[in-house]
Amino acid sequence: ALFTFDRLTISAVKPANLPPNIQSFVTVFGSNFGSNRFSRLGGNGTVEGSCIMAESSGALLWVSDSSAVCSLGPERGPTDYLKVELGRRAAVVTPAQGGPVFDAPSITDILQNDVPTVGGHAVVLLGTNFGEAAAADFRITVGNTLCLSAAWFSDTAVEC
């Protein structure tokens, strides 16, 4: 007779919305995460595991048979899944299934909002989720027009 274990499942991820480009922690809920007593242990006595999101791998802290905490980020770009690996078992959850997503940048105010339409004038955009630092491919578009130069000041201010 062949003996098998029930598969690892993910039923929820909290919080479901994460700021982009910032280290985040999420709690993953589900079943069959295993027992610390019977799971493969790492060198520091914790259950070996990882979380993979947006092509980046983060640490996983086993909590119980039904939950674990994932360290994610800082990420850049969209994601279409969160993969949790515990030993030889793995589970995947997509945003449509309740998996986490990154919050998009949002503009709350525009400084120098009376500028000519011919371009060539700097405009400071204030908002949220611009990230902890400018990415190598950092760019800003206004409508469908790419800014000739873009400057990142903080998670809440950029210039075009």
Side-chain angles (χ1 to χ4, degrees), residues 4-159:
T4 61
F5 291 98
D6 291 336
R7 66 184 185 93
L8 173 67
T9 61
I10 298 173
S11 59
V13 178
K14 303 288 181 185
N17 289 75
L18 305 173
N21 305 324
I22 296 174
Q23 180 84 23
S24 300
F25 296 91
V26 297
T27 303
V28 180
F29 299 95
S31 60
N32 302 314
F33 287 22
S35 164
N36 195 8
R37 180 175 173 200
F38 297 107
S39 296
R40 187 173 155 198
L41 299 178
N44 60 359
T46 60
V47 175
E48 287 185 354
S50 64
C51 298
I52 301 167
M53 186 171 174
E55 301 176 8
S56 179
S57 181
L60 178 122
L61 174 64
W62 177 90
V63 177
S64 70
D65 183 54
S66 60
S67 67
V69 175
C70 286
S71 169
L72 301 171
E75 308 299 340
R76 299 193 187 283
T79 183
D80 56 358
Y81 68 92
L82 167 67
K83 182 177 183 180
V84 173
E85 295 178 335
L86 276 164
R88 294 183 180 167
R89 295 168 293 147
V92 173
V93 62
T94 66
Q97 299 167 319
V101 295
F102 295 115
D103 294 332
S106 174
I107 297 172
T108 58
D109 199 6
I110 300 172
L111 303 182
Q112 298 95 2
N113 55 1
D114 292 325
V115 295
T117 58
V118 295
H121 298 277
V123 177
V124 175
L125 307 173
L126 303 178
T128 59
N129 299 322
F130 296 144
E132 282 190 340
D137 62 348
F138 176 73
R139 63 186 184 279
I140 300 173
T141 57
V142 177
N144 293 325
T145 305
L146 181 65
C147 293
L148 295 176
S149 65
W152 175 91
F153 299 121
S154 70
D155 185 48
T156 59
V158 294
E159 182 180 78

